[in-house]
Amino acid sequence: MVASGIPVIDKDPYSTENLIDPYPFHEELREAGPVAWLEAHDVWATGRHEHVRDVLTDWRTWMSGAGVGLIDLRVDAWRPPSLLLEADPPNHTVVRSIIERVLSPRATKVLRERFGARAETLVEGLVGTGSFDAMEELARVFPVEAFADEVGVPEEGREYLLPYGDMVFNGQGPRNEYFRAAMENAAEVQEWIMASCRRENLAPGGFGAQIYEASDAEEITEQQAGMLVRSFLSAGLDTTVSALGNAVYLFATNPEQFDLLRTEPSLARHAFEETIRLETPVQVFSRTATRDTEIGNTRIAGDERVMVFFAAANRDPRCWEEPDRFDITRRASGHLAFGQGIHGCVGKPVARIEGEAVLGALARKVGSIKLEGEPERHLNNTVRGFESLPVAFHAP
């Protein structure tokens, strides 16, 4: 039982209703106070931008090594913890520095031209074809082909990539129906993932092969290199798929914003940032207190967990004017869609290049985007996106 005076919320953020439309719950969480108690899961939660940011940036007080979802990985783990996401310094520092080296500004600069050409070809082929599923034909296609090529995983079997990500992100929530559904073919999916991330199956010169070079230099072990490649893959696909689908939907439902992008294609980067602020792909993660501490004036005991709702923080009216409005001219810097601090998304340079490439191609190649039916949400405990998104791209 929590102390009197502490706000208690009896809604379950992982219910079907709240996964479909999380924003009323997010507003209730923000307005309850700096932190509230989620009765459904006996855990703390915060949704105000200020406090979410503070938790994310104070890694000494708020550790990730116990897991960044609802479940404590120290006592209940269906997979080895991520070396990037679910680890703390000094071990985390070593592996993050390896990925930052692999994704150096020089390396990512080369991706702009490659991704730009891919996006132009993909979008051009969809213009004037009539109704199609933007998730199936665009949002899932681009990252799986472009990003997986750069990592260097085999082409055969890539249909397992997104189901693996679905398993990982559902696993950050409760052991509910969505987790169980994602795990139905777990053995088959994991077998392919593990095999594809071995050194001998990765293309020479790709990001994956470069990670193994760190094991050659004895910075990490061969086994850790394989785990790092897997973590890199799971973090870099589903979130970008979600962001691209959400962008298409937002432009279809806000045609004046798409007209603005067509007029000024240079706004593609701003449009991507605004998309992930408004429809944040990773809705929530968690941290665990390493000592007795406070959020606002509420005492949190050591080893207690707090859910940090990125998506709620990204619509906090204390931080954003008209936070529920899609505005590609907004200066969205400061959003928390990529996290913050030492555990902020290490692959964000690649995600931004992918997003800018696709949205830039839309601006140059498409005259208008029309919804051609009712979109269907893909329900996942952590990632917000669409299962299907019927649209038509009309020629300029």
Side-chain angles (χ1 to χ4, degrees):
M1 178 175 294
V2 295
S4 66
I6 300 236
V8 176
I9 296 178
D10 62 1
K11 293 184 175 64
D12 181 2
Y14 300 101
S15 71
T16 299
E17 177 186 4
N18 284 320
L19 290 179
I20 291 173
D21 181 12
Y23 300 118
F25 164 76
H26 291 171
E27 182 178 8
E28 181 177 351
L29 175 62
R30 285 192 305 264
E31 299 314 308
V35 68
W37 183 255
L38 293 189
E39 197 169 48
H41 298 288
D42 289 335
V43 69
W44 296 103
T46 182
R48 293 184 182 178
H49 188 279
E50 172 190 357
H51 302 296
V52 171
R53 182 198 60 217
D54 288 350
V55 169
L56 294 176
T57 53
D58 185 2
W59 61 268
R60 290 179 176 84
T61 302
W62 299 102
M63 70 173 175
S64 298
V68 298
L70 186 65
I71 306 299
D72 189 336
L73 294 186
R74 296 170 296 183
V75 297
D76 181 10
W78 62 270
R79 57 171 174 80
S82 164
L83 299 179
L84 273 174
L85 196 59
E86 295 153 346
D88 297 296
N91 295 336
H92 172 267
T93 308
V94 173
V95 296
R96 186 174 178 100
S97 67
I98 292 168
I99 298 297
E100 288 177 340
R101 187 169 68 231
V102 170
L103 297 180
S104 68
R106 177 182 293 181
T108 53
K109 184 178 180 180
V110 178
L111 299 182
R112 289 192 177 277
E113 186 175 340
R114 290 185 199 157
F115 285 1
R118 277 181 179 267
E120 295 270 333
T121 301
L122 180 58
V123 169
E124 198 168 41
L126 294 171
V127 175
T129 60
S131 178
F132 67 94
D133 184 350
M135 297 307 299
E136 191 68 31
E137 303 295 329
L138 175 64
R140 295 190 188 107
V141 170
F142 189 83
V144 168
E145 290 185 356
F147 185 66
D149 277 356
E150 298 301 329
V151 175
V153 296
E155 290 190 22
E156 185 177 354
R158 285 186 184 179
E159 65 271 15
Y160 291 121
L161 285 170
L162 293 179
Y164 180 68
D166 212 37
M167 289 160 51
V168 169
F169 286 109
N170 269 309
Q172 303 293 1
R175 301 301 188 244
N176 58 10
E177 60 186 297
Y178 303 110
F179 175 75
R180 290 190 292 272
M183 295 297 290
E184 283 182 358
N185 298 314
E188 185 179 345
V189 172
Q190 286 180 290
E191 182 181 357
W192 182 86
I193 288 288
M194 291 181 69
S196 298
C197 293
R198 294 192 189 107
R199 182 198 293 261
E200 62 269 23
N201 293 323
L202 293 166
F207 292 150
Q210 291 175 52
I211 290 171
Y212 273 96
E213 290 175 9
S215 71
D216 295 336
E218 299 184 347
E219 297 175 80
I220 53 175
T221 66
E222 182 95 356
Q223 182 184 21
Q224 287 174 320
M227 292 173 62
L228 195 50
V229 176
R230 291 200 297 278
S231 296
F232 192 40
L233 269 176
S234 61
L237 287 173
D238 295 65
T239 50
T240 310
V241 168
S242 166
L244 294 179
N246 291 340
V248 171
Y249 175 78
L250 287 170
F251 281 126
T253 53
N254 296 272
E256 78 289 348
Q257 293 296 307
F258 188 61
D259 289 341
L260 180 56
L261 181 65
R262 289 185 61 231
T263 303
E264 298 184 56
S266 61
L267 287 172
R269 170 70 176 271
H270 287 275
F272 184 70
E273 301 292 333
E274 174 68 349
T275 294
I276 62 177
R277 179 199 70 83
L278 186 67
E279 291 284 358
T280 305
V282 174
Q283 296 269 292
V284 56
F285 272 158
S286 78
R287 296 291 188 267
T288 300
T290 60
R291 57 179 175 82
D292 291 355
T293 186
E294 290 185 350
I295 296 178
N297 294 318
T298 300
R299 179 182 176 276
I300 311 293
D303 217 40
E304 288 191 316
R305 185 173 299 257
V306 59
M307 307 304 294
V308 285
F309 282 82
F310 305 115
N314 282 341
R315 292 192 181 209
D316 189 348
R318 297 161 189 79
C319 188
W320 315 100
E321 187 175 341
E322 296 185 87
D324 298 327
R325 183 168 64 89
F326 181 53
D327 177 7
I328 67 171
T329 66
R330 186 195 304 270
R331 295 189 64 84
S333 59
H335 71 71
L336 302 174
F338 289 120
Q340 198 87 329
I342 66 168
H343 288 91
C345 177
V346 72
K348 64 185 176 184
V350 178
R352 282 174 163 146
I353 293 169
E354 289 182 88
E356 189 174 355
V358 172
L359 299 193
L362 291 176
R364 289 184 291 272
K365 300 292 183 180
V366 180
S368 64
I369 302 173
K370 304 290 186 184
L371 281 180
E372 292 289 307
E374 189 66 28
E376 179 187 352
R377 282 281 168 197
H378 178 75
L379 300 185
N380 180 285
N381 285 324
T382 304
V383 175
R384 179 167 172 79
F386 289 100
E387 179 65 32
S388 64
L389 182 58
V391 300
F393 287 173
H394 297 287

